[in-house]
Amino acid sequence: MLTQIYNGHILTPEGWICGGSVLMDGGRIVEIRKGSNIEPKAEKAVDARGMHVVPGGIELHCHGGGGRDFMEGTAEAFKVAAQAHMKHGTTAIFPTLSSSTLKMIEDACATCDELMKEPGSPIMGLHLEGPYFNPKKAGAQMPEIIRNPDPKEYKHIVEDYSCLRRWDVAPELPGAIEMGRYIVSKGVLAAIGHTAATYDDVKAAYEAGYSHATHFYNAMPGFHNVREFKHAGTVESVYLMERMTVEMITDGIHVPAPILQLIYRTKGVERTALITDALAVTASDSKEAFDPRVIIEDGVCKLSDRSALAGSIATMDRLIRTAVNIAGIPLNDACRMASETPARIMGIYDRKGSLQRGKDADLLLLDDELNLRSVYAMGQLVEGTDKM
């Protein structure tokens, strides 16, 4: 069905188009016009009333939503969580597993393999956050599951399932450099996270193919003293790896506004992605996280002893509002960091991440207060998002 969204303030790779139109058919964008004349062949025409029309959000790091966690490993849990985030502006998602047992990883991989085969699925591939982490930087990860890289284990996952797209590892662990080289050779993004890595560790990892930093500033040290001597932390080391990309939890709590601004100014739009790191309680009436140690307090998830923040309860629309209204990032850059940059990081920019002819018709309508008014995924209005 040919659908036209007209009279929109449209964000394209060339800049904003005022009073423009997006035409969608068969799940793809077939044309972007500078005018708002209604196409006679359009079966449906939607007046955007001057609202912002921007690319759909791409979620790199999300543990669940709608009361369900991807660690459950079932198709139902995956679909409920993904749908919960779609209603808030995520049109493509890489489900994330926290540090898990091998059986949990296998179950999630098998489910993800099948769901990715479904036409129009928002699920782009699996993201494993652990279990190969530094126990001293476990944060909210389950410490009893954390372990060193095991070649038999990770080669089995990479080779026997097709869905894996990213794996986060502490690069200072024994065998981590070899693991990085291996997974990158198989087309899997290698990221550093939950780490106490020194500059030399980060540099060695970068040279081995690790190209991304997990929830930057969280679960990693910055500049610090060891006795009387000062040392660069993981944070500064990542900044110095110029082509290394980062992601920031943009809920305004995990990373304060001045640091969000610092990341944006230093790494830039092309190397900074917005993420939620959302847990199962997100976009739901649930008050309990999948992990019984986690509580919800002050608009964020924490360990019950308040020793660390856990994931967030943010959604994609909140990321954009926080970036603009709290961190002072221009709207066009915030939207690019929620769509274009994640798409480039994960290698799906040929399909998603920008509003261009031939790409998947994933887009959001935002009003002047940046409230989400509509979500289109593969050209279809997402149920429950028609607020025009």
Side-chain angles (χ1 to χ4, degrees), residues 98-361:
S98 294
S99 294
S100 303
T101 65
L102 177 58
K103 177 65 163 58
M104 293 167 74
I105 295 172
E106 289 173 333
D107 288 347
C109 283
T111 293
C112 196
D113 274 355
E114 291 304 311
L115 293 179
M116 288 175 67
K117 298 174 185 176
E118 296 185 357
S121 175
I123 295 171
M124 299 287 103
L126 196 67
H127 164 211
L128 295 180
E129 187 189 8
Y132 309 135
F133 285 152
N134 190 321
K136 295 179 181 179
K137 290 294 180 180
Q141 301 279 323
M142 295 182 183
E144 64 275 15
I145 294 178
I146 289 175
R147 52 198 185 270
N148 288 334
D150 179 347
K152 287 182 61 178
E153 187 173 69
Y154 65 70
K155 288 182 179 181
H156 155 57
I157 295 299
V158 170
E159 294 174 8
D160 292 346
Y161 300 95
S162 60
C163 63
L164 189 63
R165 296 293 182 270
R166 169 181 165 187
W167 207 324
D168 303 351
V169 181
E172 69 273 24
L173 297 180
I177 298 301
E178 292 78 7
M179 177 181 174
R181 291 194 186 100
Y182 170 78
I183 64 174
V184 168
S185 75
K186 299 296 184 179
V188 176
L189 177 74
I192 65 172
H194 289 269
T195 174
T198 65
Y199 174 80
D200 288 341
D201 293 327
V202 174
K203 187 172 186 291
Y206 183 61
E207 291 172 349
Y210 286 87
S211 60
H212 187 70
T214 303
H215 46 47
F216 196 37
Y217 274 86
N218 289 274
M220 62 181 64
F223 178 78
H224 60 282
N225 276 29
V226 178
R227 292 181 57 119
E228 70 270 35
F229 295 105
K230 296 173 176 62
H231 292 262
T234 307
V235 169
E236 294 80 19
S237 303
V238 169
Y239 277 130
L240 289 170
M241 305 301 127
E242 292 186 9
R243 293 189 299 278
M244 183 172 274
T245 56
V246 301
E247 60 187 32
M248 55 189 192
I249 306 173
T250 318
D251 62 353
I253 300 172
H254 277 78
V255 183
I259 301 300
L260 294 175
Q261 183 67 237
L262 175 63
I263 298 168
Y264 162 70
R265 290 187 185 185
T266 307
K267 277 296 184 181
V269 177
E270 292 80 6
R271 294 191 174 92
T272 306
L274 309 185
I275 62 162
T276 64
D277 196 8
L279 299 191
V281 293
T282 305
S284 76
D285 296 326
S286 174
K287 302 299 180 186
E288 296 182 358
F290 181 74
D291 185 341
R293 304 171 302 150
V294 173
I295 61 171
I296 297 89
E297 185 178 73
D298 300 324
V300 73
C301 298
K302 307 176 181 178
L303 291 182
S304 58
D305 65 2
R306 296 171 180 80
S307 61
L309 295 178
S312 84
I313 55 173
T315 49
M316 186 61 66
D317 51 343
R318 178 175 164 185
L319 301 186
I320 294 172
R321 286 194 299 272
T322 299
V324 174
N325 296 333
I326 296 177
I329 296 171
L331 176 60
N332 59 322
D333 285 350
C335 291
R336 288 179 64 197
M337 292 191 292
S339 56
E340 177 187 329
T341 306
R344 290 187 186 277
I345 289 170
M346 300 307 298
I348 58 171
Y349 188 64
D350 60 327
R351 292 179 51 198
K352 297 182 181 289
S354 63
L355 301 183
Q356 292 176 276
R357 182 177 182 177
K359 287 198 171 185
D360 292 346

